[in-house]
Amino acid sequence: MGHRHSDPFRLSHPDLEKLNRGLDRRDFLKKTAMGFGAIALNGLLASHQAQGQSLEQQILDALPRIAPKAKRVVYLFMSGGPSQFETWDYKPELTKRMGQDLPDSIRKGQRLTGMSANQAILPVAASAYGFRQYGQSQTWVSDLLPYTAQVVDELCIIKSMFTEQINHDPAITFFQTGHQLPGRPSIGSWLSYGLGSENQNLPAFIVMVSKDASKDQPLYARLWGNGFLPSEHQGVQFRSSKDPVLFLSNPEGYDGKDRQEMLDYLKQLNQLQNESWGDPEVDARIAQYEMAFKMQTSVPEVMDVSDEPQEVFDLYGPNSRDKGSFAANCLLARKLLEKDVRFVQLYHQGWDHHDSLPKNIVNQCKQTDQATAALIMDLKRRGMLEDTLVIWGGEFGRTVYSQGKLSPTGYGRDHHPKCFSMWMAGAGVKAGTTFGQTDDFSYNIVKDPVHVHDFQATLLHLMGVDHEQLVYKYQGRRFRLTDVHGKLVKGILA
């Protein structure tokens, strides 16, 4: 299973020895942290340690087991909300209804944003782009995605996603952390906490943001933050600059030996502080310094693509040599997955098309389509797709009606949370299938709805984790990624 996290309330053997020798009242309460309940816990701990296994390990081993289908995840997050009408949800009947007001029987009084709520009418906008059927599955795919269309038999397209969040910040925060307000741990942090790392020289959770995307909606580091989990589980952002990870390089005048000596002394100081205060965050700090030292060697190695053959760059597209582009990040993602990094997340901004959608979405698809398909093909030919989960999608969908002026080739689409499309591929999902169905306007779900919490629960399941069991106690309450919701979407499982 790899390295596991440390329980934030577990006491070490030296702590137990001090308890046996006797402590004053203040030290006693400080060391136990949880009061008298911790004494019982540590009694059990001592018993299990005498058998050569920690209580933490015994408890984790006793939890219900799910056979994991995926060892690793790469999540391609299309920030801004891609339109399902121009990508995956083919609605040919809309051409006949072009310009007509959205019927009240379809809208059903659903909430609108302030950007279109005051329009006199909500004119139906058919897609300016055609669809064709591809693969043995004969799946309808937009003409804007010719490369991904070639790997459609590897995809499980979910057309019935929905959320309650209608604006970007709460919607993307909800997708990434399970709650619309900031402060909760992200998906990658939960997996790092629950499963640990298979690579001791790289973080379990790595993030990259495309430099070439339109910055129509901001991204915040808290989207890959650890929330209330120990800070060693936060996502580490790799950048396209000279220093891929900030503050990783040695200061001028330092060499590796100097750095190691400094870290050894710093570790001793941190251990003294930990002995005095019993703060679990000190352990996290020690672990992070040690990881940073290892990354000084491992990061330059994994970021170096000079040994990749030309045919790999041809596969990922002309931008794959441009550091920080989506294509280059897809190639780096494959390298990180090869190193057994557990969770790799790529963010690509620019999908928020309130106007000029036909023009703007062409640019987005050109930047992402070829590299997305290449990543799937590359993983498959290396035998990695069978145990790697690939995810593509944004925070919500777009409206069938045009925001603002409508013409056959000029229109925009507002936010629509009640139904949208995303897809999964690889480990554990049914390849070459579609799941869920929307009405003729892609405005309401008519079959197999999938809530964001259901998606999160299914993702964890594929990684071998029961979403109801992966919990963390904070401020007196047990938290989990799916809060008190979420059900497994069995219909997409292979």
Side-chain angles (χ1 to χ4, degrees):
M1 185 64 74
H3 172 70
R4 290 187 179 275
H5 63 276
S6 297
D7 190 287
F9 301 114
R10 188 179 69 180
L11 299 186
S12 62
H13 262 308
D15 293 321
L16 292 170
E17 291 171 2
K18 290 179 182 178
L19 283 174
N20 291 332
R21 289 200 306 267
L23 298 170
D24 60 32
R25 181 175 178 274
R26 176 177 297 176
D27 283 342
F28 174 77
L29 293 174
K30 179 171 63 182
K31 291 295 183 183
T32 56
M34 292 286 288
F36 291 103
I39 300 176
L41 175 65
N42 281 286
L44 288 170
L45 176 61
S47 170
H48 286 286
Q49 285 178 329
Q51 301 172 22
Q53 191 177 37
S54 70
L55 175 61
E56 177 195 47
Q57 187 67 52
Q58 294 252 340
I59 292 172
L60 288 169
D61 289 344
L63 291 176
R65 288 297 173 197
I66 303 170
K69 299 293 185 181
K71 291 183 179 179
R72 58 193 83 84
V73 177
V74 55
Y75 191 166
L76 312 177
F77 196 92
M78 304 293 109
S79 176
S83 168
Q84 69 271 29
F85 299 95
E86 280 73 25
T87 51
W88 305 107
D89 204 1
Y90 181 40
K91 298 299 177 185
E93 292 298 315
L94 295 180
T95 303
K96 302 175 185 178
R97 299 177 180 267
M98 187 76 167
Q100 296 179 14
D101 196 9
L102 179 67
D104 290 338
S105 61
I106 299 298
R107 182 188 165 190
K108 298 179 180 180
Q110 291 180 32
R111 177 187 177 193
L112 306 180
T113 75
M115 293 171 283
S116 59
N118 295 322
Q119 290 185 195
I121 66 168
L122 301 174
V124 169
S127 174
Y129 298 97
F131 276 67
R132 302 180 191 181
Q133 288 178 291
Y134 292 87
Q136 293 183 351
S137 59
Q138 287 294 283
T139 301
W140 290 97
V141 183
S142 168
D143 290 343
L144 294 174
L145 301 170
Y147 289 96
T148 310
Q150 300 304 316
V151 295
V152 73
D153 284 339
E154 303 294 342
L155 310 185
C156 176
I157 302 169
I158 305 172
K159 296 184 177 181
S160 53
M161 289 296 307
F162 74 99
T163 181
E164 292 81 23
Q165 314 308 321
I166 200 170
N167 290 312
H168 293 284
D169 195 355
I172 191 171
T173 303
F174 190 60
F175 240 108
Q176 298 303 287
T177 72
H179 199 272
Q180 70 270 27
L181 297 178
R184 302 284 183 93
S186 56
I187 299 173
S189 294
W190 276 113
L191 286 172
S192 173
Y193 168 75
L195 298 176
S197 176
E198 294 288 351
N199 186 321
Q200 301 306 310
N201 296 319
L202 287 167
F205 178 21
I206 292 175
V207 173
M208 290 178 280
V209 179
S210 302
K211 72 171 186 179
D212 53 345
S214 169
K215 304 299 189 291
D216 51 18
Q217 292 298 326
L219 294 173
Y220 304 99
R222 57 176 166 78
L223 295 173
W224 49 90
N226 58 294
F228 44 69
L229 294 178
S231 57
E232 63 195 279
H233 301 296
Q234 67 181 325
V236 176
Q237 184 179 355
F238 279 20
R239 305 166 188 264
S240 59
S241 58
K242 179 181 178 182
D243 293 323
V245 181
L246 296 178
F247 313 117
L248 192 62
S249 300
N250 284 326
E252 186 175 351
Y254 269 72
D255 58 23
K257 184 177 179 181
D258 292 333
R259 183 74 163 175
Q260 181 65 70
E261 186 177 6
M262 183 270 288
L263 289 175
D264 288 342
Y265 281 117
L266 186 59
K267 182 177 181 179
Q268 292 178 39
L269 290 172
N270 282 325
Q271 287 173 336
L272 287 172
Q273 183 181 8
N274 200 20
E275 291 173 5
S276 300
W277 297 102
D279 182 358
E281 193 60 26
V282 176
D283 288 329
R285 187 188 308 162
I286 293 171
Q288 286 175 307
Y289 279 128
E290 291 177 346
M291 174 58 72
F293 182 72
K294 295 174 183 177
M295 287 168 63
Q296 288 187 309
T297 301
S298 61
V299 169
E301 176 188 353
V302 79
M303 298 292 285
D304 182 8
V305 295
S306 60
D307 59 346
E308 295 286 338
Q310 180 60 40
E311 63 94 10
V312 169
F313 293 105
D314 292 340
L315 179 67
Y316 282 86
N319 291 334
S320 58
R321 289 187 181 275
D322 183 12
K323 290 183 178 180
S325 68
F326 179 80
N329 288 346
C330 282
L331 176 53
L332 286 175
R334 187 221 78 206
K335 294 192 66 177
L336 291 167
L337 296 169
E338 283 183 306
K339 297 291 186 180
D340 286 322
V341 173
R342 194 175 296 282
F343 196 91
V344 180
Q345 184 137 25
L346 273 57
Y347 287 90
H348 188 82
Q349 297 159 280
W351 294 91
D352 188 27
H353 299 146
H354 290 273
D355 54 38
S356 303
L357 185 148
K359 174 184 176 182
N360 292 329
I361 201 168
V362 168
N363 295 330
Q364 291 298 106
C365 291
K366 282 183 177 179
Q367 290 176 352
T368 59
D369 178 39
Q370 182 174 354
T372 297
L375 179 59
I376 292 175
M377 289 187 285
D378 207 4
L379 290 172
K380 185 173 183 178
R381 68 183 183 178
R382 295 169 189 270
M384 295 173 61
L385 188 60
E386 62 189 25
D387 57 9
T388 301
L389 179 64
V390 185
I391 303 168
W392 183 100
E395 65 266 38
F396 43 53
R398 314 303 295 198
T399 56
V400 64
Y401 60 82
S402 176
Q403 178 184 331
K405 187 177 179 180
L406 170 66
S407 72
T409 58
Y411 54 86
R413 299 192 190 275
D414 204 353
H415 309 164
H416 189 60
K418 291 300 182 181
C419 61
F420 57 100
S421 302
M422 65 185 300
W423 56 255
M424 306 170 82
V429 299
K430 288 182 180 178
T433 61
T434 59
F435 185 84
Q437 184 179 341
T438 61
D439 61 22
D440 290 340
F441 295 83
S442 194
Y443 207 79
N444 301 287
I445 296 170
V446 298
K447 183 181 178 182
D448 296 327
V450 179
H451 188 263
V452 172
H453 283 316
D454 302 334
F455 157 74
Q456 293 162 341
T458 306
L459 190 163
L460 293 181
H461 174 86
L462 290 169
M463 293 293 288
V465 176
D466 184 338
H467 72 105
E468 294 183 349
Q469 298 290 331
L470 183 59
V471 298
Y472 189 87
K473 191 171 184 180
Y474 175 68
Q475 292 185 341
R477 179 192 161 183
R478 288 177 173 84
F479 288 86
R480 68 184 203 218
L481 173 63
T482 53
D483 197 47
V484 295
H485 309 284
K487 62 181 184 297
L488 184 63
V489 187
K490 295 181 180 180
I492 71 172
L493 301 180

